[in-house]
Amino acid sequence: MSNSSNKSVTLKEVAEAAGVSVSTASRALSGKAEACRISSATEQSVREAAKKLQFSPSLLARSLRSQQTKLLGVVLPNVANPFFAAIAREITLAAEADGYSVLLTDSQENGETEARLVEQLQARQIEGLVVCPVGMDETHLCKLANQKLPLVLVDRGFDNRDLVTVTSDHQSGARIAMNELLDAGHRTIGILQGLPETLPNRERLSGVQDSLSAAGLDFDPMLIAGHHFDEASGYQAALRLLTTRPEITALFAFSNQNALGALRAAAEMGRAIPDDLSLIAFDDFPFAAYLAAPLTSVSQDVSQLGQVAAQLLLEQIRSSVPPEQKQYRIPVQLMRRSSIKNIG
Amino acid sequence: MSNSSNKSVTLKEVAEAAGVSVSTASRALSGKAEACRISSATEQSVREAAKKLQFSPSLLARSLRSQQTKLLGVVLPNVANPFFAAIAREITLAAEADGYSVLLTDSQENGETEARLVEQLQARQIEGLVVCPVGMDETHLCKLANQKLPLVLVDRGFDNRDLVTVTSDHQSGARIAMNELLDAGHRTIGILQGLPETLPNRERLSGVQDSLSAAGLDFDPMLIAGHHFDEASGYQAALRLLTTRPEITALFAFSNQNALGALRAAAEMGRAIPDDLSLIAFDDFPFAAYLAAPLTSVSQDVSQLGQVAAQLLLEQIRSSVPPEQKQYRIPVQLMRRSSIKNIG
DNA sequence: TTAAGATGCACAATCGATTGTGCAAAGGGG
DNA sequence: CCCCTTTGCACAATCGATTGTGCATCTTAA
């Protein structure tokens, strides 16, 4: 009964079944019957033929003709990372709601891969693009913006203020975290940083510095370690800091994965949390409250991040002009638990 | 200097720039110069023109003509869930390596949404589809398979053995988990189940039953609670079981989110883990080892799951015949930690 | 009865690439 | 010198939909 071939029904076949021309069939099905003076009898027979044949128009052909692909591109450094996955989801849902489909790609935290993926997406005539950029080179992205391709950067960004960017308020997040430690009496605080060249990392370092200056303390670069947002970096960095600077009483991990590494390192060094070492992390996660030492963290509103990015992109596509405001900051929230000991 | 309009360069413009016809330009650029007797001089001038104009062929037009979109579809119940995100990533990477792009969609754990998304993807002429199906209705998916659209089901599946399916070995995973509890002397074990109608859930229940029978114990349906794989369900189910059946000494959570809910419920009931209550969960996660009671769990090899699904799909597309073997089982692994107390 | 206007639909161009076919010009052999 | 082959490329159809235009037929009024 049902069509068992793999090629789909075309408008031409529908038109023949209804005994009309392709153009008439097209107009009948696209609701332009009135405007194009198609008799309702004809319209009905076309509709019936389409239903009977299970006609589904080729979006490919339609896109080619209309120059509207209804496709969005998304480039993320690691789709499997729950943080980016949450962003991907928000964009996907928002896109779907607006009739768009999402081409998802993974740059594997590699700038060249990112550039290649962006070109590939462009070749597919995407109407808009969300990127969480890797590295410090923004030229390939500026080029897109110059070509009038709606573009939104999310989570990470550049110093270039011309690109539409949605990020958490990393700087005040870091300030809040540091203040929490300082208020608890900590004075020698190790920083487990992530990818050094990323904007979030730099802004967080800046927040750390702000906080220290406000407290009249020096910023000691030797108290910073780490090179990535992953567990391994957190582990190595924590191990090194705790070994070279045993007077450290608290660690500030720039990601929850870094915190995980810190947990492992602390366990190996025989330092219990929070009694022998305090810990705070950027980026909350579901199990944070159930850890041996419920982890105090700065929570990013990832859903909000994704939603705002998606809305900015869709709005940009609709209006075909970039928004006036380029920089969007999503507030963070301190989740106060019990991984910090008051040693004041 | 660079093109600042948003419309891209067409082959026609390249051809004009090189002073040749569109067909010649096409052949020169697609490496068919030799075969189509294009002089190397002409080929060079076309290539140069293309480079100068930054020509990038429209994949839309190419797809329409060649009937090859190089597009894959992926439908997952919740893209933000790290488990599904990991699957999405593996598929994305494998696809990219083979020149395919991935259209990612989120069915929001809703069968009708899933069916709608699948149709939409079909309208985009995807060449293959990976679905983690929601619900028990497989008709819309069988239809696809009948239409010769390469299809792979992942994580979840149906009793229908004709659809290519890649899942963890849920049944033996559940057996392993139950045996771990039984070996530790537990006899009254509460089950926190996930979505009841899903295959993983049913297979896990089946594994539970196997294990109990082998131990000569009865399977008490009243010891099962829960309706979803999320935290809320785990919490409510655990609360109910621990209230109505206080003699329970151990819980088996069917997902890590369920386990999280159980953790919350146990805390509220004043039952410490593992001393007052043992816990084991299906599905490991990075922080499992750092919980107050390091959680023993059955770990699924999610990457493997995604990779196998991707390879099966790509192979199916290449050979244009479904594989002979339809069911693929990925082994699970017990991660023995310390959330189970030996009460033997 | 006939010209003007309304009605209903088909023809054909178009989007941007690919590809089968055909036609010149150049080259070679008898 | 002519015919035949090879070389080099252009023409045109095609993929499947959308859309401007034009042509019949029918209606209505003078």
Side-chain angles (χ1 to χ4, degrees):
Chain A
M1 169 145 172
S2 82
N3 186 359
S4 80
S5 84
N6 60 0
K7 63 180 295 299
S8 52
V9 183
T10 72
L11 187 57
K12 190 179 170 189
E13 305 177 59
V14 174
E16 282 169 4
V20 298
S21 75
V22 186
S23 47
T24 301
S26 171
R27 291 190 246 248
L29 292 176
S30 54
K32 291 171 188 161
E34 300 264 337
C36 291
R37 298 177 318 206
I38 306 293
S39 70
S40 54
T42 303
E43 182 184 351
Q44 276 314 308
S45 76
V46 172
R47 295 210 119 93
E48 281 165 24
K51 186 162 290 176
K52 192 176 304 169
L53 297 175
Q54 299 198 51
F55 170 71
S56 159
S58 162
L59 295 188
L60 224 53
R62 178 178 292 179
S63 296
L64 180 59
R65 170 66 219 225
S66 67
Q67 302 293 64
Q68 298 225 339
T69 54
K70 286 287 184 178
L71 281 176
L72 302 182
V74 175
V75 184
L76 299 174
N78 181 356
V79 174
N81 183 321
F83 179 83
F84 295 121
I87 290 180
R89 175 165 215 242
E90 297 302 335
I91 297 174
T92 301
L93 295 181
E96 159 72 11
D98 256 35
Y100 284 84
S101 297
V102 169
L103 285 164
L104 182 74
T105 64
D106 190 310
S107 65
Q108 301 177 72
E109 205 76 79
N110 178 322
E112 293 168 31
T113 304
E114 174 184 305
R116 195 165 40 74
L117 291 173
V118 167
E119 280 187 28
Q120 205 171 94
L121 289 172
Q122 249 195 309
R124 288 208 186 265
Q125 333 268 101
I126 52 170
E127 292 183 36
L129 183 60
V130 177
V131 182
C132 173
V134 170
M136 303 192 68
D137 181 16
E138 74 226 59
T139 52
H140 63 298
L141 295 172
C142 290
K143 217 190 315 181
L144 293 188
N146 287 337
Q147 285 173 26
K148 308 261 186 289
L149 180 74
L151 171 68
V152 174
L153 269 37
V154 69
D155 181 44
R156 305 179 188 171
F158 302 101
D159 295 324
N160 182 336
R161 292 288 171 149
D162 293 336
L163 297 172
V164 180
T165 308
V166 184
T167 62
S168 290
D169 194 343
H170 301 293
Q171 193 162 345
S172 57
R175 262 198 312 264
I176 291 169
M178 285 300 284
N179 288 343
E180 194 71 6
L181 292 174
L182 292 170
D183 289 351
H186 297 275
R187 288 298 173 268
T188 311
I189 301 169
I191 306 292
L192 308 177
Q193 72 172 352
L195 270 170
E197 71 270 22
T198 60
L199 197 75
N201 199 77
R202 287 182 288 137
E203 290 185 345
R204 290 175 195 174
L205 284 181
S206 171
V208 167
Q209 202 153 9
D210 288 355
S211 183
L212 288 171
S213 325
L217 294 171
D218 278 346
F219 179 71
D220 181 355
M222 297 307 291
L223 285 171
I224 302 176
H227 57 89
H228 208 298
F229 287 111
D230 62 10
E231 199 266 357
S233 166
Y235 170 71
Q236 292 156 17
L239 214 52
R240 186 160 71 75
L241 285 182
L242 293 177
T243 306
T244 60
R245 303 287 292 263
E247 74 272 26
I248 286 176
T249 60
L251 291 176
F252 175 15
F254 273 16
S255 79
N256 52 37
Q257 293 293 310
N258 283 170
L260 212 176
L263 251 31
R264 183 153 65 98
E268 284 185 15
M269 302 280 297
R271 296 188 60 164
I273 293 174
D275 286 341
D276 305 330
L277 182 69
S278 291
L279 180 63
I280 190 168
F282 221 105
D283 213 1
D284 199 34
F285 54 96
F287 282 92
Y290 300 95
L291 296 182
L295 186 63
T296 295
S297 69
V298 175
S299 169
Q300 300 191 59
D301 193 341
V302 201
S303 300
Q304 187 72 8
L305 221 47
Q307 280 171 28
V308 170
Q311 290 314 323
L312 280 171
L313 187 68
L314 291 170
E315 181 51 33
Q316 215 174 140
I317 294 176
R318 267 192 293 271
S319 67
S320 68
V321 289
E324 289 194 20
Q325 187 187 342
K326 307 287 187 188
Q327 306 294 318
Y328 297 80
R329 292 288 177 181
I330 310 299
V332 297
Q333 191 185 351
L334 179 68
M335 307 300 284
R336 199 176 267 129
R337 289 191 272 255
S338 46
S339 60
I340 298 178
K341 184 185 182 187
N342 195 319
I343 60 172
Chain B
M1 169 146 174
S2 82
N3 186 358
S4 81
S5 84
N6 60 1
K7 64 179 295 299
S8 51
V9 183
T10 72
L11 188 56
K12 190 179 170 189
E13 305 176 61
V14 174
E16 280 169 4
V20 299
S21 74
V22 185
S23 48
T24 301
S26 171
R27 290 188 245 250
L29 292 176
S30 53
K32 291 172 188 160
E34 300 264 337
C36 290
R37 299 177 319 205
I38 305 293
S39 72
S40 53
T42 304
E43 181 184 349
Q44 275 314 307
S45 76
V46 172
R47 295 210 119 93
E48 280 166 24
K51 185 161 291 175
K52 191 176 305 170
L53 296 176
Q54 301 197 52
F55 170 70
S56 158
S58 161
L59 295 188
L60 223 54
R62 178 177 292 178
S63 297
L64 179 60
R65 170 67 218 227
S66 67
Q67 303 291 61
Q68 299 224 339
T69 54
K70 286 288 184 178
L71 281 176
L72 302 182
V74 174
V75 184
L76 299 174
N78 181 355
V79 174
N81 182 322
F83 179 84
F84 295 122
I87 291 180
R89 174 165 216 240
E90 297 302 335
I91 297 174
T92 301
L93 295 181
E96 159 71 12
D98 256 35
Y100 284 84
S101 297
V102 169
L103 285 164
L104 183 73
T105 64
D106 191 310
S107 64
Q108 301 177 73
E109 205 75 78
N110 178 321
E112 293 167 31
T113 305
E114 174 184 305
R116 195 165 42 74
L117 291 173
V118 166
E119 278 187 28
Q120 204 171 94
L121 289 172
Q122 249 195 310
R124 288 208 186 265
Q125 332 269 98
I126 52 170
E127 292 183 37
L129 183 60
V130 176
V131 182
C132 173
V134 169
M136 304 190 69
D137 182 17
E138 73 225 58
T139 52
H140 64 297
L141 295 173
C142 289
K143 217 190 316 179
L144 293 188
N146 287 335
Q147 286 172 25
K148 307 263 186 291
L149 180 74
L151 171 69
V152 173
L153 269 38
V154 69
D155 181 44
R156 304 179 187 171
F158 301 101
D159 295 323
N160 182 335
R161 292 289 171 144
D162 293 335
L163 296 173
V164 180
T165 308
V166 185
T167 63
S168 289
D169 194 342
H170 300 293
Q171 192 161 346
S172 57
R175 263 199 310 264
I176 291 169
M178 284 302 284
N179 288 342
E180 194 71 6
L181 292 175
L182 291 171
D183 289 350
H186 296 275
R187 288 298 174 266
T188 312
I189 301 169
I191 307 293
L192 307 178
Q193 73 172 352
L195 270 171
E197 70 270 22
T198 59
L199 196 76
N201 199 75
R202 288 182 288 138
E203 290 184 345
R204 289 175 196 174
L205 284 181
S206 170
V208 167
Q209 201 152 10
D210 289 354
S211 183
L212 288 172
S213 325
L217 293 172
D218 277 345
F219 179 71
D220 181 355
M222 296 308 292
L223 285 171
I224 302 176
H227 58 90
H228 208 298
F229 288 110
D230 62 9
E231 200 266 357
S233 165
Y235 171 72
Q236 292 157 16
L239 214 52
R240 186 159 71 74
L241 285 180
L242 293 177
T243 307
T244 60
R245 304 287 293 264
E247 73 272 27
I248 285 176
T249 61
L251 291 177
F252 176 13
F254 273 15
S255 79
N256 52 37
Q257 293 293 310
N258 283 169
L260 212 175
L263 251 30
R264 184 154 64 98
E268 284 186 14
M269 302 279 296
R271 297 187 60 162
I273 294 174
D275 286 340
D276 306 328
L277 182 68
S278 291
L279 180 63
I280 190 169
F282 220 105
D283 214 359
D284 199 34
F285 54 95
F287 281 93
Y290 300 94
L291 295 182
L295 186 62
T296 295
S297 69
V298 175
S299 169
Q300 300 191 60
D301 193 341
V302 201
S303 299
Q304 186 72 9
L305 221 48
Q307 280 172 28
V308 170
Q311 289 315 322
L312 281 171
L313 187 69
L314 291 170
E315 181 52 33
Q316 217 175 137
I317 294 175
R318 266 193 293 271
S319 67
S320 67
V321 289
E324 290 194 20
Q325 185 186 343
K326 306 289 185 186
Q327 305 295 318
Y328 296 79
R329 292 288 177 182
I330 310 299
V332 297
Q333 194 185 351
L334 179 68
M335 307 300 284
R336 200 176 266 127
R337 289 191 272 255
S338 47
S339 60
I340 298 179
K341 182 185 180 187
N342 195 317
I343 61 171

